[in-house]
Every structure is written in C-alpha cells, then in structure tokens.
Amino acid sequence: MRSSALFLGIDFGTSGARAIAIDTQGDIQAQVALPYPEPQANQPLAASWQQTLDALLIQLPLPVRARLAGIAIDGTSSTVLLCDQQGQPIADPILYNDGRAAAKVAILQTLAPPNHTVLSATSSLAKLLWYADQPYFSQAAHLLHQADWLAFLLHGQLGLSDYHNSLKLGYDVENLAYPGWLENHPLRELLPQVWVPGQPIAPMRSALAQRLQIPANCLIHAGTTDSIAAFLASGAQKPGEAVTSLGSTLVLKLLSSTRLEEARYGIYSHRLGNLWLVGGASNTGGAVLRKFFTDAEITQLSQQIDPNQPTEYDYYPLLQLGDRFPINDPTLLPRLEPRPESPRDFLQGLLEGIARIETQGYRLLAQLGATPLTSVHTAGGGAKNRNWTQIRAQFLGVPVKAASYPEAAYGAAKLAADLGMIPDR
C-alpha cells in the first residue's frame, strides 16, 4: 500500500498557492496552482486562504486524492493571525512584511537577549505584542502562523506549530523549548505547541476527507516556512551546500554544521534536524536588472555575453541607498557607473556585480563560523541564465547548478513523504 501512496505539499506564497503531489520516489504525479481570489468587500484575508486551500484540493485529480497518505503545508514566515477557542480568526492576519509593530521592539529588548531574531518589527512575537493592545484581544485564545492555521483546517487540532515557523516567535530551536524569559510572560498561554517540521500530527478531519474523497487515514504533518520548503526542494543535503535565490533580491541559504546568529547582518539559523540553515539577504538582485532591461532583453543580451571575457566594471547594483548583507550599511550608495555604450557590456557588469556580492556573502558566513561553501543550487528566475551561472561559478569557485525542483510545494511534499532532511524525530 505504501508504494502506491502519494504525498501532497501545499505552498502558500505572497500572491497565490500551489499544490504538488509526489510518490514515494519523489516523482511528481500532479500539481495545481491558483492565484488568491480577488478580495471582496468585507471578506477577511484568512477566508481567501481557506477558499484557495479548498479549491486546490478539489482541483487535484480524483485518482490522486484517492491515494493521498500525507499532506504538509508551508506558508510565509512571520505571517500570523489571532484565533478564538474554535479557531476562528478574530482579526485580519498580519503579513510577513508588515512593520506596524515597530514600537514593540523596545519592549522586546527588555525581554529577549541581544541579537535575538524577535528583535524586529516584523517578528511574530512583535506582532503578538501589537495584537495585545487591540480592543478585540480579549477574545484571543491562540496565535497561529499562516501554515499552522491552514493545517488546523485540515486536522482540526488547535494551537500547534513547527519550529521553523516558531523561530521568530522566540522558540529556542537549539534546546527545542520556549526560553525562560518567554515561558514566564503573560502572553505565553497564546503560544502554540511546537512540533518537528514534517512530524505527523493527526488524520484529516473525517467529514472533510469524505467530502474530498481522500483516505480517512491521510495524515496531516507539521509544516514549515516557504523559504525552507524551497531549500528542501532544491536537492541540497550536505553541510557546505547552499541555495541562492535569484529573484527580485538576492537570498543566500547555506547548510552548516554550526549555528550562526549575527543580527548586524540579519543572519540567523533555522534548524534542519541536526544541521543548521544559515541565511542572509542582500537588496541587490533581479529588481535592479529590470530597472534597466526587460526580461526579453536580459535573455537576448545574456546570450551574447562571453563569461570568459569579464568586464572591468566594479558595480554594486542597488535600486536605492542601503544594503543589509554582506555589507550592512543603510547609507551605502549604489555603484552603477561608468555606464558603457554597449547594453550587453552594461548587463554583464551588473551580472558580475551581483555575483561578486553573492561571493562576498558566502565568504562572510564562513568567516563568522559557518561551514565553508562547497556547491550552490540556484532557485528563482536567474537560475535559467546559463552565462550568468558560469559567471557566478567563476566568482564563487565552486560548482553552481539549477535547483532540482524550483517549487516550494515540492519541498513541503518531501516533508509529508519523509524525504526531507529532518533526521532527529
């Protein structure tokens, strides 16, 4: 029976959601993608998530649904919502990039240790402190992350999370417990119980399973964040292997034997079993390229580039003042001069500039104590640019290749199938 089983990963991103079903070998058997519905007047955001989740499951082919043995969901990190005792949201969710809780950071600085990941306006814990000041807070029974609440809709058990989503809530991922300074806080009772990502929680609600014609014993697993699901999908598995996401910005994630926390550069570590996923992000990336070129122009001009003939330009491509990593300087000036007459040479200079920043980033992680880089898997739109890949490999001095699978939903499916890198449960 296990050999015929399928496992579903569901990724809730910023603009839509995707579901991917895989077999026990990791081969994709079905996938569905949907944008979030257009918001209706007075419709809560969480309702659109629920609507999208239901639509994704319904659109899976019936033969696939009939073979599902496990489901795991990933969501955007630090997207949170307050629920009552029945799991109903009592206010609109606060999204991952919402900084309304900036004034709460000063309070957190009196509670949390220096350099802690919660000391940010967008952390889950800062958002909980903001919620606590609102008139409806007396109705609150649970604070849940996006992935937590969506999984609750499937398995029916409230107050559960995973240690990836809970990192920015203050959970101690090294000791696998809430720290003392948080255990004694009055808001502790709203915090979720934390599970290992991928750990089986409970079967799908019987009425839901029956309606969707999904087996009654289909297990719902603890989830993860979207970025970690993307890492799991990439194929990186060993310390020293990394994933670079070449999207609008440049995001580096390195698998390391040692944990690294360095708030000066926005560097923090997620636990992956007995290893650590160390991350840093720069403001450079594809958004800078699109300021000067269309996607079609980038494709056409990139084909004309000879990676073995580097330019002499020393660009630091930014859209505006400031970077976070590998240089943490809010006043850092973009460096985009001199600009050559040739669009091809200008594009090559920009691509080399981003590759140079990527290289500096991985070197900084190693200097601060992370496992040195051995290879890079590339995700995002830039992964398709072969000449850029060759340029980056020359700068990095290690093999560079496209990620095995580009979709975060595939990584979530690996969690459900127990094919991920979570060996400590």
Side-chain angles (χ1 to χ4, degrees), residues 143-288:
L143 180 83
L144 297 176
H145 301 91
Q146 181 184 38
D148 307 338
W149 185 73
L150 290 165
F152 154 72
L153 296 178
L154 299 183
H155 58 59
Q157 298 195 24
L158 269 171
L160 304 180
S161 186
D162 63 87
Y163 64 55
H164 290 157
N165 275 293
S166 298
L167 177 70
K168 295 178 183 177
L169 194 55
Y171 188 76
D172 183 343
V173 294
E174 190 156 7
N175 295 306
L176 298 179
Y178 284 108
W181 60 266
L182 195 50
E183 279 286 1
N184 300 321
H185 196 277
L187 297 176
R188 170 63 180 90
E189 61 183 14
L190 276 76
L191 303 183
Q193 178 185 345
V194 180
W195 293 53
V196 176
Q199 186 174 356
I201 294 177
M204 179 177 281
R205 297 183 195 221
S206 57
L208 182 63
Q210 186 174 4
R211 175 170 69 85
L212 296 172
Q213 296 179 269
I214 291 174
N217 60 352
C218 176
L219 289 170
I220 311 305
H221 296 248
T224 183
T225 66
D226 55 349
S227 63
I228 295 183
F231 184 92
L232 294 175
S234 72
Q237 296 181 347
K238 300 176 182 177
E241 294 186 329
V243 173
T244 294
S245 295
L246 294 173
S248 297
T249 59
L250 175 71
V251 181
L252 313 185
K253 290 190 178 296
L254 172 68
L255 197 59
S256 174
S257 298
T258 56
R259 184 181 184 183
L260 186 60
E261 305 285 334
E262 187 50 74
R264 287 182 301 160
Y265 302 101
I267 297 171
Y268 57 88
S269 298
H270 274 287
R271 183 171 184 151
L272 279 183
N274 297 319
L275 299 174
W276 299 96
L277 189 57
V278 182
S282 169
N283 294 335
T284 194
V288 184

Side-chain angles (χ1 to χ4, degrees), residues 11-56:
D11 165 53
F12 272 73
T14 55
S15 58
R18 179 182 295 270
I20 292 180
I22 63 173
D23 60 21
T24 54
Q25 304 303 310
D27 295 326
I28 296 177
Q29 301 299 311
Q31 53 185 314
V32 179
L34 291 173
Y36 295 136
E38 288 294 326
Q40 304 296 317
N42 300 320
Q43 182 188 35
L45 177 58
S48 72
W49 295 347
Q50 184 172 6
Q51 182 180 339
T52 302
L53 176 62
D54 197 60
L56 280 174

Side-chain angles (χ1 to χ4, degrees), residues 404-415:
S404 299
Y405 294 92
E407 301 292 349
Y410 184 87
K414 286 178 68 176
L415 277 183

Side-chain angles (χ1 to χ4, degrees), residues 390-421:
Q390 188 173 338
I391 290 170
R392 293 171 50 233
Q394 291 168 350
F395 274 93
L396 290 163
V398 299
V400 178
K401 61 181 179 180
S404 299
Y405 294 92
E407 301 292 349
Y410 184 87
K414 286 178 68 176
L415 277 183
D418 200 18
L419 297 175
M421 299 183 301

